[in-house]
Amino acid sequence: MSEKLLVIDTDCGIDDAQAILVALAAPHVRVLAVTCVFGNASVDDVCQNVFKVLAVGQQEQIPVFRGSAGPLLGTTTTNDPCDHFGTDGLGDVLEDRDPRWEEKIQREHAVTAMLHLVAENPGKVTLVALGPLTNLALAVKLDPTFPGKLKELYIMGGNIEGKGNMSLCAEFNFAMDPEAAYMVLEEFLCPTYLATWEYACRNALSWEFFEELTSQDTAASRFMKSVTSRCWAFSRETLSKMRDVHFGPGFVSFDSYAVAACVDAGVVAESVRCPVRVELRGAMCRGMMALDRVGRLGKKHSVTVFTKCHKDRLARLMLESLGHPLKSAEAGK
């Protein structure tokens, strides 16, 4: 299998950490850089979280770039903070943060780093976006030819049924910067793949699998057990109730669904291909993504929206990323 070059753009919270570890563990993948954006935490906390994840994955040589600290227009769809991953994005449990992290961060801004990395490898770089799309939107404004130089784009974000987790109708990453999401889905004409909120929720793994995932005798598994020790109790008891109304119970590591599809196309069992657009107006629907299945938008560019995955393959990738292959055949039950 030929080597796959990735740039990962992340607002590194707990599910981002798991997703990044999936990418680091894939033998045919080389992560060229990690670019950071606000979202699950401040951009400075995100940078520190990325350094910790790279250390756990034993790939500290990967350069890390600091990016956007807020949305394009300074406004989101909600004023409510999102702290179910803790105030630092990794559960507020880490006491060994690197005091020299600012010395290690690259001096170049994340957006210009994206531009030069892709320009140096035209048609070869896959960009994986796991947070608000602010860095990507700025990149296409700085260089309108940027999307055409990408091999492909994978996004964790958006929703297809109007069921929101950040607002009534919008998913978190898109709701945090609706203008950026709109720009990316209008101006990135490269092959684009979306792992949406509903896709992840409808393909949840079991809580028994979560226990197996975080109980392996490896440093990476112990790390995930530590950072999830506080927040997943809240997630299981509170956030899960919100998901259960629409999707049923289960463990969902949202960003892992996008990275898993990127490193193993066989993870995706079903998808739809159509034009999409992000709504920017309205008190309830701002940030919601609409699918155009009948051609009313008149757009020539379509994206691939995942709808169903092979949960056994997803579970295997997640387990292997933390150290050991899948033991249980019950991951998705």
Side-chain angles (χ1 to χ4, degrees), residues 30-74:
R30 178 157 63 98
V31 178
L32 296 177
V34 179
T35 55
C36 301
V37 67
F38 81 101
N40 285 314
S42 72
V43 71
D44 283 353
D45 278 333
V46 168
C47 293
Q48 294 175 72
N49 294 348
V50 169
F51 280 124
K52 181 63 178 179
V53 174
L54 294 179
V56 170
Q58 299 183 327
Q59 294 200 37
E60 294 175 88
Q61 78 283 358
I62 296 172
V64 180
F65 298 86
R66 178 164 36 194
S68 301
L72 293 177
L73 301 184

Side-chain angles (χ1 to χ4, degrees), residues 12 15 20 29 34 37 47 65 80 82 92 108 111 119 134 158 170 186 192 204 239 247 253 286-287 289 314-315 326:
C12 194
D15 54 343
I20 292 169
V29 166
V34 179
V37 67
C47 293
F65 298 86
D80 295 330
C82 178
D92 294 326
E108 186 177 12
V111 175
T134 315
E186 295 297 317
T192 300
L239 293 184
F247 309 109
S253 177
R286 177 170 151 78
M289 185 177 73
L314 170 66
L326 181 64

Side-chain angles (χ1 to χ4, degrees), residues 285-296:
C285 295
R286 177 170 151 78
M288 184 184 75
M289 185 177 73
L291 275 62
D292 179 15
R293 298 173 186 254
V294 294
R296 290 190 177 184

